[in-house]
Coordinates of all heavy atoms in Angstrom, one line a residue:
M1 N 14.3 9.4 -1.9 CA 13.3 10.3 -1.5 C 14.0 11.6 -1.1 O 15.0 11.6 -0.5 CB 12.5 9.8 -0.4 CG 11.4 10.7 0.2 SD 10.3 10.0 1.4 CE 11.5 9.8 2.8
Y2 N 13.3 12.8 -1.5 CA 13.9 14.1 -1.2 C 12.8 14.8 -0.3 O 11.6 14.7 -0.6 CB 14.1 14.9 -2.4 CG 15.1 14.3 -3.3 CD1 14.8 13.6 -4.4 CD2 16.5 14.6 -3.1 CE1 15.7 13.1 -5.3 CE2 17.5 14.0 -3.9 CZ 17.1 13.3 -5.0 OH 18.0 12.8 -5.8
F3 N 13.3 15.5 0.7 CA 12.4 16.3 1.5 C 12.4 17.7 1.0 O 13.4 18.2 0.5 CB 12.9 16.4 3.0 CG 12.6 15.1 3.7 CD1 13.6 14.3 4.2 CD2 11.2 14.8 4.0 CE1 13.3 13.1 4.9 CE2 11.0 13.6 4.7 CZ 12.0 12.8 5.1
L4 N 11.2 18.4 1.0 CA 11.0 19.7 0.6 C 11.0 20.7 1.8 O 10.2 20.4 2.7 CB 9.8 19.9 -0.3 CG 9.6 18.9 -1.4 CD1 8.3 19.0 -2.1 CD2 10.8 19.0 -2.4
N5 N 11.7 21.8 1.7 CA 11.6 22.8 2.8 C 10.3 23.6 2.7 O 9.5 23.4 1.8 CB 12.9 23.7 2.8 CG 13.1 24.5 1.5 OD1 12.1 24.7 0.7 ND2 14.3 24.9 1.3
A6 N 10.2 24.7 3.5 CA 9.0 25.5 3.5 C 8.8 26.2 2.2 O 7.6 26.5 1.9 CB 9.1 26.5 4.7
E7 N 9.8 26.5 1.4 CA 9.7 27.1 0.1 C 9.4 26.1 -1.0 O 9.3 26.5 -2.1 CB 10.9 27.9 -0.2 CG 11.2 29.1 0.7 CD 11.7 28.7 2.1 OE1 12.5 27.8 2.1 OE2 11.4 29.4 3.1
G8 N 9.3 24.8 -0.7 CA 9.0 23.8 -1.7 C 10.3 23.4 -2.4 O 10.2 22.7 -3.5
Q9 N 11.5 23.7 -1.9 CA 12.7 23.4 -2.6 C 13.3 22.1 -2.0 O 13.2 21.9 -0.7 CB 13.7 24.5 -2.5 CG 13.3 25.8 -3.1 CD 14.2 27.0 -2.8 OE1 14.7 27.0 -1.7 NE2 14.3 27.9 -3.7
I10 N 13.9 21.3 -2.8 CA 14.6 20.1 -2.3 C 15.8 20.5 -1.4 O 16.6 21.4 -1.8 CB 15.1 19.2 -3.5 CG1 13.9 18.7 -4.2 CG2 16.0 18.1 -3.0 CD1 14.3 18.0 -5.5
H11 N 15.9 19.9 -0.2 CA 17.0 20.3 0.6 C 17.6 19.1 1.3 O 18.7 19.3 2.0 CB 16.6 21.3 1.7 CG 15.7 20.8 2.8 ND1 16.2 20.5 4.0 CD2 14.4 20.5 2.8 CE1 15.3 20.0 4.8 NE2 14.2 20.0 4.1
H12 N 17.1 17.9 1.2 CA 17.7 16.7 1.9 C 17.3 15.5 1.2 O 16.1 15.3 0.8 CB 17.2 16.7 3.3 CG 17.9 15.6 4.1 ND1 19.2 15.8 4.6 CD2 17.5 14.4 4.6 CE1 19.5 14.7 5.3 NE2 18.5 13.9 5.3
A13 N 18.2 14.6 1.0 CA 18.0 13.3 0.4 C 18.0 12.2 1.4 O 18.8 12.2 2.4 CB 19.0 13.0 -0.7
T14 N 17.2 11.1 1.2 CA 17.2 10.0 2.1 C 16.8 8.7 1.3 O 16.5 8.8 0.1 CB 16.2 10.2 3.3 OG1 16.4 9.2 4.2 CG2 14.8 10.4 2.8
I15 N 16.7 7.6 2.0 CA 16.4 6.4 1.3 C 15.2 5.7 2.0 O 15.1 5.7 3.2 CB 17.6 5.4 1.3 CG1 18.7 5.9 0.5 CG2 17.2 4.0 0.8 CD1 20.0 5.1 0.6
I16 N 14.2 5.3 1.2 CA 13.1 4.6 1.8 C 13.5 3.2 2.2 O 14.1 2.5 1.4 CB 11.9 4.5 0.7 CG1 11.4 6.0 0.5 CG2 10.8 3.6 1.2 CD1 10.4 6.1 -0.6
S17 N 13.3 2.9 3.4 CA 13.7 1.6 3.9 C 12.6 0.5 3.9 O 13.0 -0.7 3.9 CB 14.3 1.7 5.4 OG 13.3 2.3 6.2
K18 N 11.4 0.9 4.0 CA 10.3 -0.1 4.1 C 9.0 0.6 3.7 O 8.8 1.8 3.9 CB 10.2 -0.6 5.5 CG 9.1 -1.6 5.7 CD 9.3 -2.3 7.1 CE 8.9 -1.3 8.2 NZ 8.8 -1.9 9.6
V19 N 8.1 -0.2 3.0 CA 6.8 0.3 2.7 C 5.8 -0.8 3.1 O 6.0 -2.0 2.8 CB 6.6 0.6 1.2 CG1 5.2 1.0 0.9 CG2 7.6 1.7 0.8
D20 N 4.8 -0.5 3.9 CA 3.7 -1.5 4.2 C 2.4 -0.9 3.7 O 2.3 0.1 3.1 CB 3.7 -1.9 5.7 CG 3.4 -0.8 6.6 OD1 2.7 0.1 6.2 OD2 3.8 -0.9 7.8
A21 N 1.3 -1.6 4.0 CA 0.0 -1.2 3.5 C -0.4 0.2 4.0 O -1.2 0.8 3.3 CB -1.0 -2.2 4.0
N22 N 0.1 0.7 5.1 CA -0.3 1.9 5.7 C 0.7 3.0 5.8 O 0.4 4.2 6.1 CB -0.9 1.7 7.1 CG -2.1 0.8 7.0 OD1 -3.0 0.9 6.2 ND2 -2.0 -0.3 7.8
M23 N 2.0 2.7 5.6 CA 3.0 3.7 5.9 C 4.3 3.5 5.0 O 4.6 2.4 4.6 CB 3.4 3.6 7.4 CG 4.3 4.6 7.9 SD 3.8 6.3 7.7 CE 2.2 6.3 8.5
I24 N 5.0 4.7 4.8 CA 6.3 4.7 4.2 C 7.3 5.0 5.3 O 7.1 5.9 6.1 CB 6.4 5.8 3.1 CG1 5.4 5.4 2.0 CG2 7.8 5.9 2.6 CD1 5.3 6.5 1.0
Y25 N 8.4 4.2 5.4 CA 9.5 4.4 6.4 C 10.8 4.8 5.6 O 11.0 4.3 4.5 CB 9.7 3.1 7.1 CG 8.5 2.6 7.8 CD1 7.5 1.9 7.2 CD2 8.3 2.9 9.2 CE1 6.4 1.4 7.9 CE2 7.1 2.5 9.9 CZ 6.2 1.7 9.2 OH 5.1 1.3 9.8
Y26 N 11.6 5.6 6.3 CA 12.8 6.0 5.6 C 14.0 5.9 6.6 O 13.8 5.8 7.8 CB 12.7 7.4 5.1 CG 12.7 8.5 6.1 CD1 13.9 9.1 6.5 CD2 11.5 8.8 6.8 CE1 13.8 10.1 7.5 CE2 11.5 9.8 7.7 CZ 12.6 10.5 8.1 OH 12.6 11.4 9.0
T27 N 15.2 5.9 6.0 CA 16.4 5.9 6.8 C 17.2 7.1 6.5 O 17.3 7.6 5.3 CB 17.3 4.6 6.4 OG1 16.5 3.5 6.7 CG2 18.6 4.6 7.0
G28 N 17.8 7.8 7.5 CA 18.6 9.0 7.3 C 19.8 9.0 8.2 O 19.9 8.2 9.2
N29 N 20.8 9.9 7.8 CA 22.0 10.0 8.6 C 22.3 11.3 9.2 O 23.2 11.5 10.0 CB 23.2 9.4 7.8 CG 23.5 10.3 6.7 OD1 22.8 11.2 6.3 ND2 24.7 10.1 6.1
S30 N 21.6 12.4 8.8 CA 21.8 13.7 9.4 C 21.4 13.7 10.8 O 22.2 14.2 11.7 CB 21.0 14.8 8.6 OG 21.5 14.9 7.3
V31 N 20.3 13.1 11.1 CA 19.9 12.7 12.4 C 19.7 11.2 12.3 O 18.9 10.7 11.4 CB 18.5 13.4 12.8 CG1 18.0 12.9 14.1 CG2 18.7 14.9 12.8
R32 N 20.3 10.4 13.1 CA 20.3 9.0 13.0 C 18.9 8.5 13.0 O 18.2 8.6 14.0 CB 21.2 8.3 14.1 CG 21.2 6.8 13.9 CD 22.1 6.2 14.9 NE 23.3 5.8 14.1 CZ 24.4 5.5 14.6 NH1 24.6 5.4 15.9 NH2 25.4 5.1 13.8
R33 N 18.4 7.8 11.9 CA 17.1 7.3 11.8 C 17.1 6.0 11.0 O 17.9 5.9 10.0 CB 16.2 8.3 11.1 CG 16.0 9.5 11.9 CD 14.9 10.4 11.3 NE 14.6 11.4 12.3 CZ 14.4 12.7 12.0 NH1 14.5 13.0 10.7 NH2 14.1 13.5 12.9
F34 N 16.3 5.1 11.4 CA 16.1 3.8 10.7 C 14.7 3.4 10.8 O 14.2 3.4 12.0 CB 17.1 2.7 11.2 CG 16.9 1.4 10.4 CD1 17.4 1.3 9.1 CD2 16.2 0.4 10.9 CE1 17.2 0.2 8.4 CE2 16.0 -0.8 10.2 CZ 16.5 -0.9 8.9
D35 N 14.0 3.1 9.7 CA 12.6 2.8 9.7 C 11.8 3.9 10.4 O 10.8 3.6 11.2 CB 12.3 1.4 10.3 CG 12.7 0.3 9.3 OD1 13.0 0.6 8.2 OD2 12.7 -0.9 9.8
E36 N 12.1 5.1 10.2 CA 11.3 6.3 10.7 C 10.1 6.5 9.9 O 10.1 6.4 8.7 CB 12.2 7.5 10.7 CG 11.5 8.8 11.2 CD 11.5 8.8 12.7 OE1 12.3 8.1 13.4 OE2 10.6 9.5 13.3
R37 N 9.0 6.7 10.5 CA 7.7 6.9 9.8 C 7.7 8.2 9.1 O 8.0 9.3 9.7 CB 6.5 6.8 10.7 CG 6.3 5.5 11.4 CD 5.3 5.6 12.5 NE 4.1 6.2 12.2 CZ 2.9 5.6 12.1 NH1 2.8 4.4 12.4 NH2 1.8 6.3 11.7
L38 N 7.5 8.2 7.8 CA 7.5 9.5 7.0 C 6.4 10.4 7.6 O 6.7 11.6 7.7 CB 7.2 9.2 5.5 CG 7.1 10.4 4.6 CD1 8.3 11.2 4.6 CD2 6.7 9.9 3.2
E39 N 5.3 9.9 8.0 CA 4.2 10.7 8.6 C 4.7 11.5 9.7 O 4.2 12.7 9.9 CB 3.1 9.7 9.0 CG 1.9 10.4 9.6 CD 0.9 9.3 10.0 OE1 1.1 8.7 11.1 OE2 -0.1 9.2 9.3
S40 N 5.6 11.0 10.6 CA 6.0 11.7 11.8 C 7.0 12.9 11.4 O 7.2 13.8 12.2 CB 6.7 10.8 12.7 OG 7.9 10.3 12.2
T41 N 7.5 12.9 10.2 CA 8.5 13.9 9.8 C 7.8 15.0 9.0 O 8.1 16.2 9.2 CB 9.6 13.3 9.0 OG1 10.2 12.3 9.7 CG2 10.6 14.4 8.6
L42 N 6.8 14.7 8.2 CA 6.1 15.7 7.4 C 5.3 16.6 8.4 O 4.7 16.2 9.3 CB 5.2 15.0 6.4 CG 5.9 14.3 5.3 CD1 4.8 13.6 4.4 CD2 6.8 15.1 4.5
G43 N 5.4 17.9 8.1 CA 4.7 18.9 8.9 C 5.5 19.3 10.1 O 5.2 20.2 10.8
N44 N 6.7 18.7 10.3 CA 7.6 19.0 11.3 C 8.8 19.7 10.8 O 9.9 19.3 10.9 CB 8.0 17.7 12.1 CG 8.6 18.0 13.4 OD1 8.5 19.0 13.9 ND2 9.3 16.9 13.9
G45 N 8.5 20.8 10.0 CA 9.6 21.6 9.3 C 9.7 21.2 7.9 O 10.4 21.8 7.1
E46 N 9.1 20.1 7.5 CA 9.2 19.6 6.1 C 7.9 19.9 5.4 O 6.8 19.5 5.9 CB 9.5 18.1 6.0 CG 10.7 17.7 6.8 CD 12.0 18.2 6.2 OE1 12.0 18.7 5.1 OE2 13.1 18.0 6.9
K47 N 7.9 20.5 4.3 CA 6.7 20.8 3.5 C 6.1 19.6 2.8 O 4.9 19.5 2.6 CB 6.9 22.0 2.5 CG 5.7 22.4 1.8 CD 6.0 23.5 0.9 CE 4.7 24.0 0.2 NZ 4.9 25.2 -0.6
G48 N 7.0 18.7 2.4 CA 6.6 17.6 1.7 C 7.8 16.7 1.3 O 8.9 16.9 1.7
A49 N 7.5 15.7 0.5 CA 8.5 14.7 0.1 C 8.3 14.4 -1.4 O 7.2 14.4 -1.9 CB 8.5 13.4 0.9
L50 N 9.4 14.3 -2.1 CA 9.4 13.9 -3.5 C 10.0 12.5 -3.6 O 11.2 12.3 -3.2 CB 10.2 14.9 -4.3 CG 10.4 14.6 -5.8 CD1 9.1 14.6 -6.5 CD2 11.4 15.6 -6.4
I51 N 9.2 11.5 -4.0 CA 9.7 10.1 -4.1 C 10.0 9.8 -5.5 O 9.2 10.0 -6.4 CB 8.6 9.2 -3.5 CG1 8.4 9.5 -2.0 CG2 9.0 7.7 -3.7 CD1 7.2 8.8 -1.4
I52 N 11.2 9.3 -5.7 CA 11.7 8.9 -7.0 C 11.9 7.4 -7.0 O 12.6 6.8 -6.1 CB 13.1 9.5 -7.3 CG1 13.1 11.0 -7.2 CG2 13.6 9.1 -8.7 CD1 12.2 11.7 -8.2
H53 N 11.2 6.7 -7.9 CA 11.4 5.2 -8.0 C 12.5 4.8 -8.9 O 12.5 5.3 -10.1 CB 10.1 4.6 -8.4 CG 10.1 3.1 -8.5 ND1 10.2 2.4 -9.7 CD2 10.1 2.1 -7.6 CE1 10.3 1.1 -9.5 NE2 10.2 0.9 -8.2
L54 N 13.4 4.1 -8.4 CA 14.5 3.6 -9.3 C 14.2 2.2 -9.8 O 13.7 1.4 -9.1 CB 15.9 3.6 -8.5 CG 16.3 4.9 -7.9 CD1 17.5 4.7 -7.0 CD2 16.5 5.9 -8.9
N55 N 14.5 2.0 -11.0 CA 14.3 0.7 -11.6 C 15.2 -0.3 -11.0 O 16.4 -0.1 -10.8 CB 14.6 0.7 -13.1 CG 14.1 -0.5 -13.9 OD1 13.8 -1.5 -13.2 ND2 14.1 -0.4 -15.2
D56 N 14.6 -1.5 -10.5 CA 15.4 -2.5 -9.8 C 15.9 -3.6 -10.7 O 16.4 -4.6 -10.2 CB 14.6 -3.0 -8.6 CG 13.3 -3.7 -9.0 OD1 13.0 -3.6 -10.2 OD2 12.7 -4.2 -8.1
T57 N 15.9 -3.4 -12.0 CA 16.4 -4.4 -12.9 C 17.4 -3.8 -13.9 O 17.2 -2.6 -14.3 CB 15.3 -5.1 -13.7 OG1 14.6 -4.2 -14.5 CG2 14.3 -5.9 -12.8
L58 N 18.4 -4.5 -14.2 CA 19.4 -4.0 -15.2 C 19.0 -4.3 -16.6 O 18.4 -5.4 -16.8 CB 20.8 -4.6 -14.9 CG 21.4 -4.3 -13.5 CD1 22.7 -5.1 -13.3 CD2 21.7 -2.8 -13.4
K59 N 19.2 -3.4 -17.5 CA 18.8 -3.6 -18.9 C 20.0 -3.6 -19.7 O 21.0 -3.0 -19.5 CB 17.8 -2.6 -19.3 CG 16.5 -2.7 -18.6 CD 15.5 -1.7 -19.1 CE 14.2 -1.9 -18.3 NZ 13.2 -1.1 -18.8

């Protein structure tokens, strides 16, 4: 997952650690975070998030 700055540009990468029925959680290392709610970060200096799904099977 990538965070978008106020100009809508990608500026930070992170990994989604958990998804449940109501929330997406992520892990980061710039500021130590584990299972941080995405909702609590958006709007707090972050304009949005770009989520990229990686295929979990080898072909």
Side-chain angles (χ1 to χ4, degrees):
M1 175 173 69
Y2 297 98
F3 284 113
L4 306 176
N5 62 17
E7 293 78 35
Q9 299 170 327
I10 293 171
H11 75 99
H12 187 74
T14 188
I15 295 175
I16 294 173
S17 56
K18 179 171 70 171
V19 177
D20 64 25
N22 300 309
M23 187 57 54
I24 296 172
Y25 301 84
Y26 72 95
T27 297
N29 67 347
S30 295
V31 174
R32 181 174 256 169
R33 295 190 168 134
F34 181 75
D35 284 348
E36 180 76 23
R37 293 168 52 111
L38 177 58
E39 178 182 77
S40 67
T41 303
L42 293 179
N44 196 15
E46 306 292 350
K47 182 176 183 176
L50 176 63
I51 298 173
I52 306 295
H53 180 257
L54 302 176
N55 191 347
D56 59 356
T57 59
L58 297 174
K59 293 182 180 184

